[in-house]
Amino acid sequence: MTIVIVGGGHAAGQAAASLRQENYEGEILIIGDEPHIPYQRPPLSKQYLSGEYGLDRVHLRPARFYESKNIDVKNGVRVESIDPDRRRVACNDGTEISYDKLLLATGARPRRLATTGGDLPGVHYLRTIADVDAIKADFQPGRRIAVVGGGYIGLEVAAIAIKAGLAVTVLEMEDRILKRVTTPTMSAFYDDLHAGQGVAVRTGMRAESFAGSDRLTGVVCSGGDVVPAELAVVGIGIQPNVELAQAAGLDCADGIVVDEFTRTNDPNIFAAGDCTNHPNPLLGRRLRLESVPNAMEQSRVAAANLADNPKAYANVPWFWSDQYDLKLQMVGFSTEAERQVIRGDPATRQFAIFYFDGDTLSAADAVNSAREFMVARQLVGKRVDPDKLADPDVDLKAVLQAATT
């Protein structure tokens, strides 16, 4: 039996490793269109961009791992089509590869600004190793950089850029940074954090075009404002890579539609990671998540099912972001909460915010507070006394023990 995995990120690499952990002894082939073995994306906007990590620390596992586990990796090859009836994939190198089961871990790509000047030298997007290598080549102290988009990727780039000696301006079209993913309290905290480091955060600024002839000279915003810049990094979200699945007749709706077992509407084709739209029984709805924890755990579930060890995927979503010396860890969706309480003091840069629907904990944001985050992951969906969570003198173990479903 042959299992083919299409993709080269977290989901692809983890699925292959998990298949061996599930005692699957058949052939495994990973096909990725980049010239790299499966690698991690989070360090790209952090340690790899800063130069702290080399390429070897970005790889999910070393090349010898795949050799030792008898996992074939085909790099720099793009799957161009899937023939579900014949169970074959056709690649751009002219080869056709047969499969018994197929896992699509095609990930996502940056959402691009449809505007003039986007192809000027100095305008960058960040998703791949090649993207970051190009940005690093432009990272020169004293240069002005405009970060288009005040989401987590944009703010992580801003933090690295300011440390590298660049003059940084963040341009966010909404009235606050992080508006799509967090609450006004957290937005204000991170606005103050970046401003304190010398970053110019400008909200209500929609990038309309890029100015320059031979190279970027500035970002033209709505209202006519021009923000001078020799370098721009655009981080305005991602789009799931579903074209391959769509052309093969698989159901797609804001991602490749899968069931709780990661199966598509073709029983021989599965999908995992950023490209999927999957059901979450804990939240009672379908989701498409841009999340490493989701990619890792969903690919483990996919591997179990590919190996005929049935397992359903049901996890509370969680995320993280590293900016300067702060680690933000998040669980659940804070923007949908009715009430919030704070444990700790944001002025100390060590605190947690707990979010409630009624007396049920629905989400939490923890800044440099790993213990609070770990407890919050266990409390989501349970009834908790908000006042006790907010009181730093109340032991978290006691809160956990008192929680009810």
Side-chain angles (χ1 to χ4, degrees):
M1 180 169 160
T2 299
I3 294 176
V4 171
I5 301 171
V6 181
H10 264 98
Q14 184 59 53
S18 294
L19 278 166
R20 292 303 186 216
Q21 292 170 348
E22 294 287 343
N23 298 317
Y24 169 76
E25 297 179 350
E27 294 183 33
I28 303 173
L29 172 62
I30 300 174
I31 307 175
D33 59 4
E34 294 184 59
H36 303 284
I37 58 177
Y39 65 88
Q40 310 171 70
R41 298 198 189 275
L44 297 186
S45 59
K46 307 176 186 72
Q47 297 95 336
Y48 186 67
L49 179 58
S50 71
E52 180 184 347
Y53 281 10
L55 194 58
D56 59 326
R57 294 190 66 181
V58 175
H59 292 154
L60 193 62
R61 291 175 174 83
R64 64 179 179 275
F65 169 83
Y66 302 98
E67 297 167 2
S68 68
K69 298 298 182 180
N70 196 25
I71 298 169
D72 292 330
V73 182
K74 201 174 177 69
N75 295 326
V77 176
R78 185 177 67 254
V79 173
E80 294 193 322
S81 64
I82 303 167
D83 185 336
D85 295 328
R86 297 168 63 214
R87 295 192 199 175
R88 290 188 179 183
V89 296
C91 303
N92 66 335
D93 62 357
T95 60
E96 283 196 351
I97 299 169
S98 298
Y99 65 83
D100 293 290
K101 301 287 184 181
L102 180 68
L103 175 66
L104 299 178
T106 49
R109 62 187 182 276
R111 191 178 300 278
R112 294 187 173 266
L113 280 172
T115 186
T116 58
D119 57 350
L120 283 169
V123 178
H124 300 276
Y125 292 80
L126 196 160
R127 182 69 180 177
T128 67
I129 288 172
D131 292 338
V132 180
D133 287 343
I135 295 169
K136 287 166 72 173
D138 271 349
F139 254 39
Q140 297 178 18
R143 272 190 169 174
R144 296 168 295 185
I145 176 174
V147 177
V148 181
Y152 289 119
I153 293 295
L155 295 180
E156 288 169 0
V157 170
I160 298 298
I162 204 77
K163 282 188 172 181
L166 284 77
V168 184
T169 302
V170 173
L171 304 173
E172 170 55 53
M173 68 177 185
E174 300 287 356
D175 58 359
R176 59 182 173 90
I177 57 175
L178 301 172
K179 184 172 183 177
R180 289 177 290 276
V181 292
T182 195
T183 61
T185 302
M186 291 298 294
S187 291
F189 175 80
Y190 274 94
D191 196 313
D192 290 344
L193 172 69
H194 282 274
Q197 296 290 332
V199 176
V201 179
R202 301 182 63 181
T203 56
M205 298 285 284
R206 181 189 296 272
E208 296 286 356
S209 63
F210 297 101
S213 53
D214 298 326
R215 183 178 176 84
L216 177 72
T217 59
V219 180
V220 182
C221 298
S222 51
D225 285 355
V226 180
V227 178
E230 292 79 39
L231 169 64
V233 176
V234 182
I236 56 171
I238 63 173
Q239 295 176 276
N241 292 323
V242 300
E243 291 78 8
L244 190 64
Q246 283 180 322
L250 302 181
D251 291 342
C252 296
D254 188 29
I256 303 170
V257 176
V258 297
D259 64 14
E260 65 271 31
F261 301 104
T262 74
R263 292 177 303 209
T264 69
N265 55 303
D266 183 311
N268 299 308
I269 303 178
F270 295 67
D274 288 2
C275 64
T276 65
N277 182 311
H278 60 276
N280 187 304
L282 302 177
L283 300 178
R285 57 177 166 157
R286 300 191 68 88
L287 300 171
R288 182 176 65 81
L289 293 175
E290 301 162 13
S291 157
V292 168
N294 169 69
M296 297 289 277
E297 187 55 35
Q298 195 178 34
S299 64
R300 292 186 182 104
V301 170
N305 291 302
L306 286 163
D308 293 325
N309 300 321
K311 185 178 181 180
Y313 181 50
N315 279 34
V316 177
W318 66 276
F319 317 84
W320 84 88
S321 176
D322 295 327
Q323 298 171 45
Y324 306 108
D325 59 345
L326 302 187
K327 176 175 285 292
L328 168 64
Q329 295 170 290
M330 303 150 278
V331 60
F333 299 108
S334 61
T335 57
E336 302 170 3
E338 299 172 355
R339 177 189 177 189
Q340 68 179 45
V341 297
I342 300 177
R343 185 183 181 96
D345 183 359
T348 67
R349 297 188 178 184
Q350 185 173 358
F351 65 97
I353 305 179
F354 298 95
Y355 303 93
F356 289 84
D357 293 327
D359 58 359
T360 299
L361 187 73
S362 59
D365 295 325
V367 175
N368 282 357
S369 299
R371 185 165 178 264
E372 283 75 5
F373 171 71
M374 294 304 295
V375 169
R377 287 189 65 188
Q378 299 175 71
L379 288 175
V380 167
K382 295 181 179 179
R383 298 174 64 186
V384 187
D385 185 333
D387 293 333
K388 289 183 178 179
L389 262 185
D391 187 347
D393 292 328
V394 175
D395 185 70
L396 286 172
K397 286 185 178 179
V399 177
L400 189 59
Q401 290 171 352
T404 59
T405 55

